[in-house]
Amino acid sequence: MKPTLKRPLTYLLAGVGTVLPLVMHGPLAFGQASPSVVHVVKAENGYRLERDGKPFFVKGAGGDASKELLRDAGGNSIRTWGTDNLGPVLEQAQKLGLTVTAGIWLGHKEQGFHYDDPAQVAAQFETARKAVEQYHNSPALLMWGIGNEMEGYAKGDDPAVWTAVEKIAAMIKKLDPNHPTMTVIAEVGGNKVASINKFCPDIDIVGINSYAGGPSLPGRYKAAGGTKPYIITEYGQAGTWESTKNSWGVIPEPTSTEKAVSYRKTYEKAVENQPLCLGSYAFAWGNKQEATATWFGMLLPDGSRLAAVDTMTELWSGKAPSNRCPAIHTLKLTGPDQVDPGATIKATLDAADPQGDPVKVTWVLQADPDTHGVGGVTEASPPTYPDAIIKSSSRDAEVKMPGYGGGYRLFAYVRNGHNGAAVGNIPLFVKGDSDTPPTPSKKALLPLVVYDEGEHGNPSFIPAGYMGNVKALKMDPACTDNPHSGKTCLRADYTANDNWGGVVWQSPVNDWGD
């Protein structure tokens, strides 16, 4: 999973022999003279990290929210998904006394990267090499994170993928012996762990993104053949792909109060006192639109803390915050959740502040998207309907549903005036054949940025609409052949002598318009 992206490209068509280089924004220069020294050390029953000769247990998070808040909560590390903007990230971390796991973004097959293409793999390697040379002397650097879920979501046993990972890891060992190497996988199913054991001797640590399976991860990792130390690199409440749908096919979302319990369970059962575990990175330290407006965020867009932050503060520092977030006890409808167009529904809320402070509740009706991205893609925010809220208070709301059929969610945002908040929502369905009206088009600012150079992983738009002779299209998202700016560009080659091929960058996936 990944928080955001920026790279300028929306649509491309290639005719015979056409080569199109596309511009991306590159990282800032960075240099430091006093590197930290970090090693994985074999302990009596497992492993530990040592940083500058002292034991170091990772208490981290991944995301773009306040690093000062992370420090004050007892956190000691942040994770990136790529090296774009890594210089300023390392500099800020150093000032705050934090460390950084620097991600090196590796291509995903579903996004057009071909690990059987020597040119693409070589360009990716070269990008990684330059990043290591540029940033390895930072005193804030903790380790290198090579890739994120690039193995895919099935067996994950493609030797070409793991050979590419190993070559980068071996290169890092030569250029930067002061920092360990880690590669990050999506769960431990299939042959992923066995493939790392077989093909990647220069990988020191296995990073694992695990949500619903977080609490059971130590046993499952061992059963999969895991012997290297691990870090849980993403965790929280269950993902939508792991959750049960309701009667019309959408997934009810836990409240922020309920989600905090999931963070605690994973930490206490899979992170603390586990001989192979070197720490963890909670997700997401910030807010993103994925599945819903609030599914993965530990904070709201205005920076308000949710209960997951309070929980991690207690787990990291050993003491609860002095002022805790509000708690939602119940959020429910007084009638059915499937109604006719234009019907009025009523919802009740039981929420309270632990300190007894007054709370302010904001009710928002939002359309529920009927398609979702893959692999953590940040999605477009659905429209909201402010005029639908007829009456509201801190305990209930009366809402007139739109006159269009489809799915909606009624959100209750609870704030206590001390930067603490809670949020929950109720999925609703309006009967009828007509779909919700399309979101009004907005004029784009040019250049339209949909990719960055790798830090945050996935774009709002992804290359999903392939057309024509697609077998003749070869995509290189890390081309170093004369980029207009930055270190790389996006290149597309059409290799056939006839016919045509094309690709559309879409959001949502397979949305061809009218």
Side-chain angles (χ1 to χ4, degrees):
M1 280 194 190
K2 289 78 41 190
T4 56
L5 277 161
K6 321 175 193 158
R7 228 190 244 179
L9 178 65
T10 53
Y11 185 89
L12 176 149
L13 276 178
V16 176
T18 302
V19 175
L20 299 177
L22 300 165
V23 179
M24 298 186 296
H25 300 291
L28 298 175
F30 181 83
Q32 269 288 358
S34 302
S36 58
V37 178
V38 184
H39 294 300
V40 177
V41 177
K42 188 74 173 71
E44 183 177 353
N45 297 319
Y47 294 89
R48 70 173 181 268
L49 274 183
E50 287 189 357
R51 180 173 183 257
D52 295 332
K54 299 178 181 179
F56 186 91
F57 193 74
V58 178
K59 301 176 181 180
D64 294 330
S66 168
K67 305 307 183 292
E68 290 84 358
L69 177 61
L70 178 67
R71 175 203 58 192
D72 295 344
N76 62 17
S77 193
I78 56 180
R79 176 194 173 202
T80 75
W81 280 254
T83 55
D84 187 41
N85 203 42
L86 182 58
V89 172
L90 288 164
E91 290 174 355
Q92 183 190 27
Q94 175 66 11
K95 291 176 182 178
L96 295 174
L98 299 173
T99 64
V100 179
T101 285
I104 296 174
W105 184 254
L106 300 186
H108 288 211
K109 294 179 182 178
E110 64 270 21
Q111 294 173 11
F113 193 92
H114 299 282
Y115 280 89
D116 58 357
D117 183 334
Q120 282 193 337
V121 174
Q124 180 172 261
F125 177 91
E126 184 64 13
T127 298
R129 184 189 64 79
K130 291 179 178 179
V132 174
E133 288 182 339
Q134 185 173 4
Y135 299 116
H136 74 280
N137 280 329
S138 168
L141 182 63
L142 182 67
M143 68 182 73
W144 295 99
I146 305 170
N148 183 82
E149 301 184 357
M150 65 283 143
E151 82 285 355
Y153 308 105
K155 290 184 178 181
D157 58 355
D158 184 350
V161 173
W162 297 115
T163 298
V165 171
E166 167 60 18
K167 287 182 178 179
I168 293 174
M171 172 268 294
I172 292 175
K173 292 288 188 185
K174 293 179 181 179
L175 295 180
D176 182 15
N178 291 325
H179 299 99
T181 59
M182 177 173 69
T183 190
V184 178
I185 56 177
E187 267 294 351
V188 295
N191 298 320
K192 301 180 181 186
V193 176
S195 296
I196 294 172
N197 291 343
K198 180 179 180 180
F199 295 105
C200 302
D202 287 300
I203 287 294
D204 300 311
I205 303 164
V206 179
I208 306 167
N209 296 341
S210 183
Y211 290 89
S216 65
L217 186 59
R220 293 187 297 110
Y221 178 62
K222 183 177 180 180
T227 57
K228 294 175 185 279
Y230 69 84
I231 291 175
I232 305 184
T233 38
E234 290 180 19
Y235 66 99
Q237 72 288 343
T240 52
W241 61 93
E242 304 168 300
S243 305
T244 303
K245 295 180 179 180
N246 67 7
S247 59
W248 69 85
V250 302
I251 301 166
E253 180 177 353
T255 66
S256 57
T257 307
E258 294 168 327
K259 291 175 184 178
V261 176
S262 298
Y263 285 86
R264 181 179 294 275
K265 284 183 178 179
T266 292
Y267 197 88
E268 292 179 341
K269 292 183 178 296
V271 179
E272 283 184 331
N273 302 316
Q274 293 296 326
L276 292 182
C277 187
L278 303 180
S280 64
Y281 290 93
F283 188 83
W285 191 257
N287 178 267
K288 66 179 297 194
Q289 172 72 41
E290 183 181 344
T292 75
T294 55
W295 194 284
F296 289 103
M298 298 173 70
L299 297 95
L300 294 180
D302 64 1
S304 297
R305 305 178 342 266
L306 296 174
V309 176
D310 285 357
T311 294
M312 296 316 304
T313 300
E314 183 178 345
L315 293 169
W316 288 335
S317 68
K319 58 183 180 180
S322 57
N323 192 288
R324 298 184 69 91
C325 293
I328 293 178
H329 303 302
T330 60
L331 173 61
K332 58 186 179 181
L333 293 175
T334 60
D337 54 11
Q338 299 186 53
V339 298
D340 294 324
T344 298
I345 61 104
K346 294 182 180 180
T348 61
L349 171 69
D350 180 7
D353 184 81
Q355 293 76 225
D357 293 328
V359 296
K360 179 180 179 180
V361 179
T362 304
W363 298 84
V364 177
L365 183 69
Q366 188 168 36
D368 199 35
D370 55 5
T371 60
H372 300 293
V374 177
V377 173
T378 299
E379 301 162 3
S381 296
T384 59
Y385 302 87
D387 296 338
I389 312 299
I390 301 173
K391 298 178 182 178
S392 65
S393 70
S394 62
R395 301 189 60 85
D396 52 33
E398 187 173 321
V399 182
K400 182 177 176 61
M401 299 301 294
Y404 300 91
Y408 300 84
R409 289 185 189 254
L410 178 62
F411 288 82
Y413 293 90
V414 184
R415 293 177 170 87
N416 65 3
H418 297 280
N419 203 41
V423 62
N425 69 71
I426 303 170
L428 301 163
F429 188 79
V430 174
K431 305 172 188 177
D433 296 332
S434 60
D435 293 328
T436 55
T439 306
S441 298
K442 296 181 179 179
K443 185 176 180 180
L445 297 176
L446 298 178
L448 177 61
V449 179
V450 295
Y451 277 125
D452 68 7
E453 205 156 9
E455 175 179 3
H456 298 305
N458 270 339
S460 299
F461 295 85
I462 66 174
Y466 286 90
M467 302 172 289
N469 183 15
V470 298
K471 292 183 178 180
L473 278 172
K474 290 189 176 182
M475 310 292 293
D476 181 2
C479 175
T480 58
D481 183 12
N482 194 29
H484 179 72
S485 67
K487 290 192 170 185
T488 61
C489 56
L490 180 58
R491 172 178 172 140
D493 289 347
Y494 185 76
T495 60
N497 293 319
D498 58 7
N499 209 330
W500 65 279
V503 58
V504 178
W505 272 249
Q506 298 172 315
S507 177
V509 173
N510 292 326
D511 181 4
W512 293 92
D514 296 327

